[in-house]
Amino acid sequence: MGAPEAHRSGAGGAIPPVLRLVGLTKTFGSFAAVDQVDLDIRQGEFFTIVGPSGSGKTTLLRMLAGLERPSAGDILLRGERVNDVAANRRPTAMVFQSLALFQHKTVGQNIEFALKMRRVDPAARRERAYQLMDMLRLSRDYYGRSVARISGGERQRVALARALASDPEILFFDEPLSAIDYRLRKQLEVELKDLHRETRKTFVYITHSLEEAMVMSDRIGIMRQGRLIQIGTPDEIYTRPLNKFVSEFMGEVNIIEVEARADGWLAAKGLERPLKGPVMPNGLVHGHLVVRPESVRFIDNGAGGGADNVVAGTLYNEYALGSRVQYHVKAGGRMFVVEKLRELRPEATLGAAVTIGWDARDSILVPD
Amino acid sequence: MSALAQRLAGFLHQPGFQAAVPVLILLLIGFFGPLVLVAVFSFMPARSFKLDGGPTLENYRFAFEQSYYLSLLRSFAFAAGTVAVLALVCYPVALGMAKLFGRYAGVLTLVMVLPLFVSENVRLFGWVLFLLKGGGVLAGAAKAVFGIELADMLYSNSATLMGLAYVYLPFMLFPMVLGLSMVSRDVVEAASDLGASRWQIMREIELPLALPGLLIGGLLTFVLSLGSLTESKVLGGSKVIMIAADIESAFTYGQNWPLGSALSVLLLVLAGGLVLVVLSKLNLDAILKRR
Amino acid sequence: MDIIAKPLARRLIAVWTACLIAFLYIPIVCVFLVSFHKGRYFSFPFDDFTFDWYGKAFSSLQTQELFLISLKVAGVVTAISVVLALFGGLAFARFNWRGRTIFQHLLLLPIFFPQAVLGLALLIWLTYLGVLPSWQTAVFAHLVWIAPIATLVVSIQVYGYDAAQEEAAYDLGATRLQVLREITLPALSPGLVSGGLFAFLLSWGNFPLSFFTTGADSTVPEWLYTRMVAGYTPMVPTMGALIVVGAAAVLVAGYIFIVWRRRPIGG
């Protein structure tokens, strides 16, 4: 069966999508792990799907790689329907969560595997393996070493080289950095983004960390309960989260439950004074005000520097985050998070009464 | 109907099921088939070799009227005794293997597994040579070195019990080691740090956490000694008759299949019930996944 | 703090373990000792050492026949067990399928089963079906008990094996057959060798199942039993010692193979 013409002509923009998903669905029994996902992935972009565990992102990726058959909908690779093309016939390669290095083979044998399957002669295979090892800054001495005897970062590079060996059009990544310690992960995120720049290949990456996605991606899709609920650039997601769920994903932000009042102000539970924020859209009475920790500031008693919204509370604790300092302020039965640059920290002792505030333009109003 | 057929087709298409098929076929024709036949024969009239008689409970009544139930009780007593002896004997060794011997544990495991691969008969025969009255290795050595005449030790209940404990020792020991190695050092240290004594650690921490291994070991030992045949024949002589010996003679010398079947069923219902109850409480993935 | 803190307790455990090992080896040592005894009727201590009985064992057609049958049975059992255990082990530990827990428990039943009773049940099953017992039926009987054990041994290896390796190979262009040849078999080969070793050794030394299912054929352990119970000859300890030596040789060969395989694979 060919691709529906409507979808093909719909892509008539500047760059045709390399991968197009149309109503893609995967059900297990009565449970829809992936529920009618429509998505265009552009040639050469770094697209990241972010979602909590159980959101269906791994199932989605496995369908794209050909390791899982869709229950409904289509996957179009350059306009060709590939639903029934098995993983070993698709011009794509995947980097697995466990990396899935072949434990009984050497570094070289791992990297050359795809070429061996394509009956490339040994000399050419070795040439290609060395080239990839150079590119990924793996010493050529590792070629004959068993993969059981190399470090975590080196294993990552072997997995990348192995996926790249057959020059696939698209690379899929199934949370390959999830089990790595913080420092190495940060370093590898940068390397991965640089690799994307070097190779200009299409990368489709999944992770549960929006922070990780922000660093690397051209575009991000937020997944929840089998659906892609928001797609946008990191900037768009950061400044205009679709709803409370997406906002919560962004890490430590202040999310205040509010109700619309007739006068246009917002009533927040536990806070005496109403808040000034964006205007609640018509018909909506209930929402959440999102305020970033760095938008909240301490307001000196008496002195000027007033803010649109002012809340009085007590300083509960402070946490040093390198160049920044984070404060937790107890007010109105909840905890506010405030973040300041180290040189701007206030002189307050723990337990002291403080006043914090923020401006209406620094807050975002999102639905449930 | 078609929904059911569809579900069945789905079940049959699972790769896991397909991989299991060869072993399942073997078990079907080599294990469950014979068992069903034995069960059916136990309801046939005495001494029949065909399944055409009406169902009868004669054989079971006969088993209880004659002294067969005594053999059954004796077998149970021996099995329970074997488990008790082995639990006491193996626990310290298992503890050492799991926690103390470190890198020597591998070598020791090998040393203790090896006898398992020597035919049971050879080992039992070795015990006969060792315990034989007069010219046996033990008696002969005692006489030559100390000048003591040893009493006859063979062909007795205690020799049989020792033989059972000897043969089934690895079946208790290794599951026990497996179980005890599931008790992490951290947990024991935490308990100790919280003020538990060595005895309290064993009762509150080690035994509950090691329970799967202990259960498997105890169960294996119990069931295998319950149905043992050669140990009592070789070391117990004609004095110790276990239920398996009764079953054997009913099937072979007695040429009474229904009686042998009824005795087998009695043994299997009791042993099998125990096995099923214990197995259903175990999560095999959790036990075997640890290396 | 260590788990067993007191040095005395540690020493007691070590001594106790040594005693246990001695206990395990006493009868085997006795058999070897006595196999060198010249006289027809055994009495300890003795000073007439001889290798005569070994010479007789090697030259006797009857003993050659016994060893040949034992070898045939164990060899065939091993070959079939390894194949069954490979698939059984995958079903046991690799695939997540409906029915797996039941399969795991079913598989354990023959292991948790009195062998003598199983042998007898198989005897009447075979007789009822009209199959004449021979060494071939003994192979079948051994398999019922040994294939599940070999499956368990292979399963332990399968548990430690990241099945994503298969998907990775498939994703990189391997066909199903190539996945099996390049990934699954080499990765599981230590487990398969161990499973095969278990199968051979357990079959080689088995008595209760052989006793009821070999019919007119006889294996070495069967011969030993009949001679022990009635008609003792000085050949009994000799044959016992030989069967132990055979098991040890296979074990050593298997061990060497496993160590050799552990090196990284060239080419």
Side-chain angles (χ1 to χ4, degrees), chain B residues 265-276:
Chain B
V265 168
L266 284 178
L267 175 66
L268 297 181
V269 165
L270 293 168
L274 202 66
V275 171
L276 288 179

Side-chain angles (χ1 to χ4, degrees), chain B residues 247-261:
Chain B
I247 296 175
E248 186 209 357
S249 55
F251 274 125
T252 53
Y253 315 118
Q255 285 297 304
N256 191 347
W257 288 9
L259 176 64
S261 298

Side-chain angles (χ1 to χ4, degrees), chain B residues 142-220:
Chain B
K143 198 172 169 190
V145 180
F146 303 108
I148 312 167
E149 243 355 294
L150 287 180
D152 191 6
M153 281 176 280
L154 266 181
Y155 311 126
S156 62
N157 282 329
S158 43
T160 306
L161 185 63
M162 188 221 64
L164 288 169
Y166 174 80
V167 167
Y168 298 115
L169 188 143
F171 294 94
M172 179 64 103
L173 182 64
F174 291 112
M176 218 176 212
V177 174
L178 196 72
L180 282 174
S181 64
M182 291 172 81
V183 185
S184 84
R185 175 163 294 213
D186 289 356
V187 178
V188 172
E189 284 180 354
S192 163
D193 185 49
L194 293 169
S197 69
R198 178 67 216 146
W199 172 248
Q200 285 171 318
I201 289 175
M202 180 171 151
R203 215 184 44 211
E204 300 282 337
I205 311 293
E206 275 175 8
L207 290 183
L209 284 176
L211 197 64
L214 304 184
L215 279 178
I216 291 185
L219 187 69
L220 262 177

Side-chain angles (χ1 to χ4, degrees), chain B residues 78-248:
Chain B
F78 270 112
T82 307
V83 171
V85 167
L86 283 179
L88 292 176
V89 168
C90 292
Y91 191 81
V93 180
L95 202 60
M97 300 274 284
K99 303 288 164 192
L100 199 59
F101 301 144
R103 63 205 170 89
Y104 298 107
V107 181
L108 287 173
T109 306
L110 196 68
V111 169
M112 293 196 225
V113 168
L114 287 182
L116 201 60
F117 292 127
V118 173
S119 182
E120 203 184 303
N121 287 349
V122 175
R123 289 179 290 151
L124 290 175
F125 177 63
W127 279 117
V128 173
L129 295 175
F130 187 71
L131 296 175
L132 204 65
K133 193 168 78 166
V137 173
L138 182 63
K143 198 172 169 190
V145 180
F146 303 108
I148 312 167
E149 243 355 294
L150 287 180
D152 191 6
M153 281 176 280
L154 266 181
Y155 311 126
S156 62
N157 282 329
S158 43
T160 306
L161 185 63
M162 188 221 64
L164 288 169
Y166 174 80
V167 167
Y168 298 115
L169 188 143
F171 294 94
M172 179 64 103
L173 182 64
F174 291 112
M176 218 176 212
V177 174
L178 196 72
L180 282 174
S181 64
M182 291 172 81
V183 185
S184 84
R185 175 163 294 213
D186 289 356
V187 178
V188 172
E189 284 180 354
S192 163
D193 185 49
L194 293 169
S197 69
R198 178 67 216 146
W199 172 248
Q200 285 171 318
I201 289 175
M202 180 171 151
R203 215 184 44 211
E204 300 282 337
I205 311 293
E206 275 175 8
L207 290 183
L209 284 176
L211 197 64
L214 304 184
L215 279 178
I216 291 185
L219 187 69
L220 262 177
T221 321
F222 187 83
V223 172
L224 294 180
S225 28
L226 191 63
S228 65
L229 179 64
T230 30
E231 292 79 5
S232 57
K233 282 204 164 186
V234 174
L235 295 174
S238 53
K239 281 187 197 153
V240 185
I241 294 173
M242 306 268 277
I243 186 71
D246 282 337
I247 296 175
E248 186 209 357

Side-chain angles (χ1 to χ4, degrees), chain C residues 10-25:
Chain C
R10 289 159 163 266
R11 213 162 295 152
L12 280 178
I13 287 180
V15 169
W16 185 240
T17 306
C19 291
L20 199 80
I21 290 175
F23 176 66
L24 286 173
Y25 281 88

Side-chain angles (χ1 to χ4, degrees), chain C:
Chain C
M1 185 207 105
D2 214 330
I3 187 162
I4 301 150
K6 296 198 182 77
L8 180 67
R10 289 159 163 266
R11 213 162 295 152
L12 280 178
I13 287 180
V15 169
W16 185 240
T17 306
C19 291
L20 199 80
I21 290 175
F23 176 66
L24 286 173
Y25 281 88
I26 282 176
I28 301 172
V29 171
C30 285
V31 170
F32 272 89
L33 201 63
V34 175
S35 71
F36 297 113
H37 176 51
K38 188 170 180 137
R40 198 150 262 287
Y41 298 99
F42 170 63
S43 159
F44 189 83
F46 59 87
D47 47 14
D48 46 347
F49 281 90
T50 178
F51 282 97
D52 284 0
W53 299 110
Y54 283 91
K56 283 191 180 124
F58 281 118
S59 57
S60 151
L61 278 179
Q62 193 207 357
T63 48
Q64 285 173 13
E65 171 79 13
L66 287 168
F67 275 103
L68 195 67
I69 288 177
S70 284
L71 198 64
K72 263 197 297 197
V73 171
V76 178
V77 166
T78 305
I80 301 177
S81 288
V82 168
V83 176
L84 291 175
L86 169 62
F87 293 107
L90 292 175
F92 193 101
R94 150 88 167 80
F95 295 112
N96 235 329
W97 53 290
R98 269 179 299 133
R100 185 168 77 117
T101 318
I102 297 174
F103 172 69
Q104 290 177 331
H105 289 158
L106 286 183
L107 192 84
L108 289 188
L109 285 181
I111 306 174
F112 283 71
F113 201 87
Q115 279 185 59
V117 181
L118 180 59
L120 283 162
L122 277 163
L123 172 66
I124 74 159
W125 172 249
L126 293 169
T127 314
Y128 186 75
L129 294 180
V131 180
L132 194 67
S134 66
W135 70 268
Q136 285 104 327
T137 52
V139 166
F140 175 65
H142 283 197
L143 280 173
V144 175
W145 180 61
I146 288 172
I149 294 177
T151 303
L152 273 190
V153 174
V154 174
S155 297
I156 290 171
Q157 177 93 37
V158 177
Y159 275 123
Y161 158 73
D162 179 10
Q165 290 179 61
E166 289 177 4
E167 289 193 327
Y170 185 57
D171 184 56
L172 291 169
T175 61
R176 293 283 179 206
L177 195 68
Q178 281 171 317
V179 170
L180 190 70
R181 209 179 53 212
E182 291 278 339
I183 310 298
T184 316
L185 284 180
L188 296 182
S189 69
L192 293 173
V193 172
S194 317
L197 268 182
F198 265 81
F200 187 91
L201 294 168
L202 292 176
S203 173
W204 176 250
N206 184 276
F207 165 71
L209 293 169
S210 305
F211 188 53
F212 298 112
T213 53
T214 45
D217 295 330
S218 176
T219 63
V220 181
E222 276 183 86
W223 180 88
L224 284 174
Y225 177 78
T226 39
R227 290 298 169 144
M228 270 153 56
V229 175
Y232 178 83
T233 92
M235 203 78 116
V236 173
T238 309
M239 293 287 278
L242 281 176
I243 194 172
V244 174
V245 170
V250 171
L251 204 65
V252 169
Y255 181 74
I256 290 173
F257 181 78
I258 288 174
V259 170
W260 173 74
R261 267 307 303 247
R262 214 173 276 164
R263 302 174 317 158
I265 308 141

Side-chain angles (χ1 to χ4, degrees), chain A residues 26-34 54-56 225-226:
Chain A
K26 178 73 186 183
T27 53
F28 296 106
S30 59
F31 170 70
V34 175
S55 60
Q225 291 171 357

